[in-house]
C-alpha cells in the first residue's frame, strides 16, 4: 500500500511546486519583458515545457490506465485504481492534478499569445507558434478525458476553452465541437508561425500536422486525417526505426530518435523523481532494484502480441522468470483468473498431470497463419489454448509480465520521455482512415508496413483474403494500433471513439470485490472522468458529468 500512497503524495507535491516555477510568464515576467527580450520569451516558453514534465505522471496515467493493455496486481489506496477499474470518484487526485496543471500551462501560453505580436521576428514567431501548439494539445487532451468522444456527438459537454491569461476568469464548459474547433484553429495558427525545426523535444510544424492527423481521425474526417499524415510522412524528416532497433525505442535519447515527432523530454539524473521510483515506468517493472512492478501486461494483450513470436514488440514485455528450471502452461479461466499447470518435458514433448492424476501430452496445433500454438484438455474435455514458458514469479496470483516500454532511457532504469507523436502513428492513422473510406489496398499497404517493421514474417502479411476469422480490415487495423502504440496513452480513446466496448475480461484486481465491471460500454457514463469536485466548487457554472 505504501508505494502507491507515496506516488499520490508526490503527484500533489509536484502539482503544488509547479505553481511556483520561476519561468511561469504570468507570475514572473511582465509584458514588456516578453516583448523586448527574446531570452525572456524563450525562458517563458521553456517554462511551459517544464510544466509538461511535472504533470506527466498524472497525464499519462489518466490516459493509459483505463485501457485494456494493463493488469493491476493488487488493491491500493491510490486513486489510480479508480482510473483503472472505472469506479469513478469526483475527488480523484490524478484527475484534479491533470486539470489544474493543464490549465496552468494554457494560461501561461495565453500570456505569451496575448503579449507577443506576430511578425516581430522569426525567432519570436517560432516561440509564439509553440505556445499555440501547447494550448491546442492540452485542450484536446482535456476534452478527451473529461468529455465524450467527438464521434458521439459534437453538442456533448467538453471542457472550458481558455484563451485569455486572466487566472480569475473561469469560463464554463464548451461543447466538444467547439473545443475541437478551437484546437484546430490553434494548430493552424501554430503551423503558420513555426518556421524552425529545433528537434523532437520542441513543438514544430510537423508536430502540429501530426496532431491534426489524429484530431481529424477522432472527428471522423478521414480525408483530412490522411492529408495531414501525408504531410508528416512526405516531409522526409522522420524515418521508422529499423526492426533491429525497435525494441530499444525507449532507450534512445528522444531527440536522437528519427521516428519521434514530439516527446516530453526527461533528462538523465535531473528528472529521476525519487531516483526513478516515482517515474512513469516504476509501476510497470522493477529494473536494477528500482520500481514497484505492480501493474503488468494484460492477458488479452499477451494473447495478441504472442500470435507471432517473431514480433519484436514482444520484447517490450519482460517476464520475471524464476530461473528454477521449471516450465508451466498458463491460461485464464472463465472467472478471469490465472491457472498454471506444471509441465514435464520428455523427448522434446510437454506433458502435464490432469485432474484425474493422469499424464497427458500438451497438444501442438496450428494457430494464426499456421504458427504453432499449445493447448491442453480441461475437465469437460474442451481444449484450452495455453502459453508454454518458464515459470514466472507472481504477485497475488498475477504473473509478473513486466512492461519495459516506459523505462531504460539512456541507461537509467526508470527514465523515459513520454511520446506525444511518432511516425508509426501517422501510418496507422492513414491505414484506419483508408479502411473506413473503403480504400483497402492503401490501408493494407500501411498496415503491413508497420507489421513487417515489427518483424512479423511473410505469413503474417495481411490480404483481404487471409484476415483472422471473424475480423474486418478495420478490426485488424485497430489491433495493430493496440500493438504498436501500447502504453503510449491511445488505447482507451481508440476503443470508445470507434463506438466499441472495452473487454475487461482478463485477470486483474478490477474483477475483485463488489461492483466489478467486466465490460465497459462505449455508451457508459463511466468512460468520461468526473470534473474534479474542487473545480466545481470554485468555478461558478461549471457543470459536472453524469
Amino acid at each position: 500500500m505504501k508505494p502507491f500512497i507515496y506516488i499520490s503524495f508526490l503527484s500533489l507535491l509536484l502539482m503544488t511546486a509547479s505553481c511556483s516555477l520561476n519561468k511561469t510568464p504570468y507570475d514572473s515576467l511582465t509584458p514588456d519583458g516578453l516583448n523586448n527580450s527574446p531570452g525572456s520569451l524563450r525562458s517563458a516558453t521553456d517554462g511551459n515545457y517544464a510544466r509538461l514534465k511535472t504533470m506527466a505522471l498524472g497525464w499519462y496515467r489518466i490516459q493509459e490506465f483505463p485501457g485494456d493493455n494493463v493488469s493491476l496486481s493488487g488493491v491500493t489506496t491510490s486513486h489510480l485504481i479508480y482510473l483503472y477499474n472505472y469506479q469513478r470518484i469526483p475527488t480523484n487526485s490524478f484527475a484534479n492534478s491533470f486539470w489544474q496543471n493543464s490549465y496552468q500551462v494554457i494560461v501561461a501560453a495565453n500570456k505569451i499569445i496575448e503579449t507577443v505580436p506576430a511578425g516581430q521576428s522569426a525567432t519570436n514567431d517560432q516561440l509564439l507558434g509553440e505556445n499555440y501548439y501547447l494550448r491546442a494539445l492540452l485542450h484536446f487532451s482535456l476534452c478527451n478525458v473529461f468529455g465524450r468522444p467527438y464521434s458521439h456527438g459534437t453538442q456533448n459537454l467538453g471542457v472550458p476553452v481558455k484563451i485569455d491569461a486572466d487566472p480569475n476568469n473561469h469560463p464554463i464548459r464548451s461543447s466538444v465541437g467547439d473545443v475541437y474547433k478551437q484546437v484546430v484553429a490553434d494548430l493552424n495558427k501554430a503551423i503558420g508561425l513555426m518556421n524552425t525545426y529545433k528537434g523532437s523535444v520542441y513543438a514544430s510544424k510537423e508536430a502540429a500536422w501530426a496532431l491534426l492527423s489524429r484530431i481529424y481521425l477522432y472527428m471522423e474526417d478521414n480525408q483530412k486525417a490522411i492529408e495531414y499524415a501525408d504531410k508528416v510522412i512526405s516531409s522526409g524528416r522522420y524515418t521508422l526505426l529499423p526492426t533491429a532497433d525497435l525494441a530499444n525505442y525507449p532507450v534512445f535519447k528522444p531527440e536522437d530518435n528519427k521516428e519521434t515527432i514530439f516527446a516530453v523530454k526527461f533528462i538523465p539524473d535531473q528528472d529521476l523523481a525519487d531516483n526513478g521510483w516515482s517515474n512513469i515506468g516504476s509501476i510497470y517493472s522493477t529494473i536494477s532494484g528500482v520500481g514497484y512492478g505492480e501493474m503488468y501486461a494484460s492477458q488479452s494483450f499477451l494473447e495478441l502480441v504472442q500470435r507471432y513470436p517473431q514480433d519484436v514488440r514482444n520484447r517490450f514485455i519482460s517476464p520475471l522468470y524464476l530461473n528454477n528450471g521449471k516450465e508451466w502452461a498458463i491460461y485464464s479461466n472463465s472467472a478471469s483468473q490465472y491457472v498454471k499447470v506444471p509441465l514435464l518435458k520428455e523427448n522434446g514433448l510437454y506433458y502435464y498431470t490432469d485432474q484425474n492424476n493422469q499424464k497427458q501430452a500438451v497438444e501442438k496445433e496450428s494457430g494464426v497463419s499456421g504458427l504453432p500454438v499449445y493447448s491442453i484438455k480441461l475437465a469437460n474435455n474442451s481444449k484450452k489454448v495455453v502459453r508454454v514458458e518458464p515459470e514466472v514469479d507472481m504477485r497475488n496470483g498475477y504473473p509478473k509480465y513486466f512492461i519495459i516500454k516506459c523505462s531504460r532511457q539512456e541507461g537509467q532504469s526508470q527514465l523515459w520521455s513520454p511520446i506525444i507523436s511518432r511516425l508509426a502513428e501517422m501510418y496507422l492513422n492513414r491505414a484506419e482512415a483508408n479502411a473506413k473510406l473503403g480504400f483497402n489496398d492503401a490501408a493494407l499497404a500501411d498496415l503491413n508496413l508497420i507489421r513487417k517493421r515489427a518483424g512479423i514474417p511473410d505469413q503474417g502479411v495481411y490480404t483481404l483474403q487471409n484476415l483472422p476469422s471473424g475480423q474486418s480490415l478495420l478490426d485488424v487495423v485497430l489491433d495493430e494500433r493496440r500493438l504498436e502504440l501500447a502504453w503510449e496513452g491511445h488505447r482507451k480513446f481508440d476503443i470508445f471513439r470507434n463506438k466499441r466496448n472495452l473487454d475487461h475480461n482478463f485477470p486483474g484486481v478490477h474483477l475483485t470485490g463488489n461492483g466489478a465491471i467486466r465490460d465497459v460500454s462505449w455508451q457508459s457514463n463511466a468512460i468520461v472522468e468526473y470534473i474534479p469536485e474542487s473545480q466545481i466548487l470554485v468555478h461558478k457554472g461549471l457543470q459536472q458529468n453524469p
Side-chain angles (χ1 to χ4, degrees):
M1 306 285 274
K2 290 181 180 178
F4 288 119
I5 294 172
Y6 178 81
I7 291 173
S8 294
F9 181 60
L10 178 68
S11 300
L12 293 173
L13 285 179
L14 288 174
M15 181 182 70
T16 304
S18 70
C19 297
S20 59
L21 281 173
N22 289 332
K23 293 178 180 178
T24 306
Y26 60 79
D27 61 14
S28 66
L29 291 171
T30 65
D32 285 344
L34 287 172
N35 261 319
N36 299 325
S37 171
S40 294
L41 177 56
R42 186 176 301 109
S43 177
T45 304
D46 285 346
N48 289 339
Y49 287 113
R51 282 180 183 274
L52 295 185
K53 288 196 290 189
T54 67
M55 64 183 282
L57 184 70
W59 185 10
Y60 173 85
R61 287 184 172 178
I62 205 169
Q63 294 184 112
E64 182 61 35
F65 287 6
D68 56 2
N69 293 333
V70 292
S71 174
L72 185 60
S73 65
V75 177
T76 170
T77 56
S78 168
H79 288 176
L80 71 84
I81 196 167
Y82 301 112
L83 305 174
Y84 168 73
N85 66 8
Y86 285 87
Q87 306 282 350
R88 299 176 300 165
I89 58 172
T91 55
N92 192 301
S93 59
F94 290 101
N96 188 57
S97 175
F98 174 56
W99 178 285
Q100 286 198 4
N101 280 286
S102 294
Y103 279 110
Q104 286 170 2
V105 176
I106 288 169
V107 169
N110 288 344
K111 183 64 175 179
I112 293 172
I113 291 168
E114 284 183 354
T115 305
V116 180
Q120 284 188 330
S121 70
T123 298
N124 280 12
D125 280 357
Q126 172 65 32
L127 294 168
L128 189 57
E130 290 175 36
N131 282 281
Y132 272 107
Y133 171 88
L134 295 176
R135 186 169 81 176
L137 172 65
L138 291 176
H139 273 123
F140 175 61
S141 298
L142 285 162
C143 197
N144 288 336
V145 171
F146 297 106
R148 297 196 72 85
Y150 188 98
S151 57
H152 294 193
T154 59
Q155 294 307 308
N156 290 316
L157 285 177
V159 294
V161 172
K162 179 72 172 171
I163 56 172
D164 64 73
D166 182 358
N168 297 312
N169 178 33
H170 301 151
I172 61 172
R173 298 174 69 179
S174 295
S175 69
V176 168
D178 284 344
V179 176
Y180 271 68
K181 188 180 297 183
Q182 183 64 49
V183 167
V184 169
D186 279 351
L187 289 173
N188 283 322
K189 185 72 172 178
I191 289 166
L193 289 164
M194 290 189 286
N195 48 68
T196 304
Y197 183 73
K198 296 156 56 177
S200 60
V201 297
Y202 294 94
S204 63
K205 192 185 300 286
E206 292 84 359
W209 289 339
L211 191 55
L212 277 170
S213 176
R214 186 189 307 173
I215 288 166
Y216 281 122
L217 191 69
Y218 283 24
M219 294 172 70
E220 298 187 314
D221 188 338
N222 295 306
Q223 291 287 8
K224 283 284 191 182
I226 293 168
E227 175 187 338
Y228 282 96
D230 282 344
K231 285 178 179 289
V232 179
I233 293 167
S234 64
S235 73
R237 193 176 293 281
Y238 310 98
T239 56
L240 294 174
L241 284 183
T243 304
D245 289 338
L246 179 57
N248 288 322
Y249 199 113
V251 177
F252 292 111
K253 189 177 179 181
E255 56 265 55
D256 291 344
N257 190 328
K258 293 295 289 182
E259 186 168 332
T260 298
I261 300 168
F262 180 55
V264 179
K265 182 180 179 179
F266 276 61
I267 302 170
D269 299 318
Q270 178 178 317
D271 293 321
L272 282 173
D274 188 34
N275 293 320
W277 282 87
S278 299
N279 283 51
I280 288 170
S282 66
I283 195 171
Y284 288 149
S285 63
T286 300
I287 301 174
S288 301
V290 179
Y292 303 109
E294 295 177 354
M295 181 177 274
Y296 315 129
S298 70
Q299 169 76 3
S300 62
F301 182 84
L302 290 168
E303 290 173 351
L304 185 62
V305 75
Q306 291 179 347
R307 286 180 176 180
Y308 293 91
Q310 306 96 322
D311 191 333
V312 174
R313 294 167 299 197
N314 280 289
R315 290 166 58 189
F316 290 128
I317 302 164
S318 179
L320 186 60
Y321 294 124
L322 291 177
N323 296 320
N324 57 8
K326 298 179 180 179
E327 292 184 277
W328 67 10
I330 188 167
Y331 63 94
S332 64
N333 60 20
S334 58
S336 296
Q337 298 168 327
Y338 277 112
V339 179
K340 59 179 183 178
V341 181
L343 297 179
L344 295 174
K345 193 173 186 180
E346 297 177 4
N347 301 318
L349 300 176
Y350 288 106
Y351 296 89
Y352 65 98
T353 301
D354 67 13
Q355 63 277 0
N356 297 317
N357 206 32
Q358 298 296 309
K359 183 178 177 183
Q360 301 285 350
V362 175
E363 296 188 36
K364 194 174 185 181
E365 305 173 355
S366 292
V368 176
S369 298
L371 290 176
V373 297
Y374 294 99
S375 66
I376 61 174
K377 284 186 178 180
L378 303 182
N380 60 3
N381 284 325
S382 65
K383 289 183 179 180
K384 183 70 178 181
V385 173
V386 297
R387 290 196 303 279
V388 172
E389 61 187 357
E391 187 174 1
V392 179
D393 191 23
M394 301 185 83
R395 179 176 186 265
N396 299 328
Y398 303 102
K400 296 181 178 179
Y401 294 111
F402 286 163
I403 298 164
I404 57 172
K405 196 179 183 183
C406 307
S407 308
R408 304 171 295 133
Q409 179 184 318
E410 299 175 72
Q412 298 202 328
S413 298
Q414 298 299 355
L415 189 70
W416 181 58
S417 294
I419 300 163
I420 305 299
S421 298
R422 61 184 177 98
L423 186 61
E425 185 202 345
M426 298 301 101
Y427 285 106
L428 291 169
N429 288 356
R430 201 165 67 176
E432 182 180 337
N434 275 316
K436 289 176 174 177
L437 290 170
F439 301 141
N440 297 334
D441 289 343
L444 285 165
D446 283 336
L447 175 66
N448 287 323
L449 178 70
I450 296 300
R451 290 175 66 75
K452 289 179 181 179
R453 191 279 292 266
I456 291 175
D458 288 345
Q459 65 261 43
V461 173
Y462 283 136
T463 66
L464 289 180
Q465 288 70 44
N466 75 343
L467 299 179
S469 178
Q471 288 196 288
S472 67
L473 178 55
L474 179 59
D475 291 335
V476 296
V477 169
L478 293 177
D479 277 351
E480 201 62 31
R481 288 184 70 90
R482 183 181 185 186
L483 289 168
E484 182 64 30
L485 304 176
W487 311 301
E488 296 177 29
H490 293 263
R491 180 60 176 165
K492 172 191 175 184
F493 309 124
D494 285 349
I495 293 170
F496 295 132
R497 66 180 172 82
N498 279 292
K499 298 182 180 178
R500 297 177 178 224
N501 300 333
L502 175 69
D503 184 354
H504 244 193
N505 286 285
F506 53 81
V509 297
H510 58 284
L511 297 184
T512 62
N514 296 326
I517 299 175
R518 288 182 171 271
D519 298 283
V520 185
S521 167
W522 65 269
Q523 296 174 303
S524 169
N525 291 331
I527 74 170
V528 182
E529 281 298 316
Y530 283 128
I531 303 296
E533 186 176 87
S534 59
Q535 306 301 319
I536 296 288
L537 292 174
V538 298
H539 293 184
K540 184 178 180 181
L542 192 61
Q543 187 174 335
Q544 183 58 281
N545 284 321

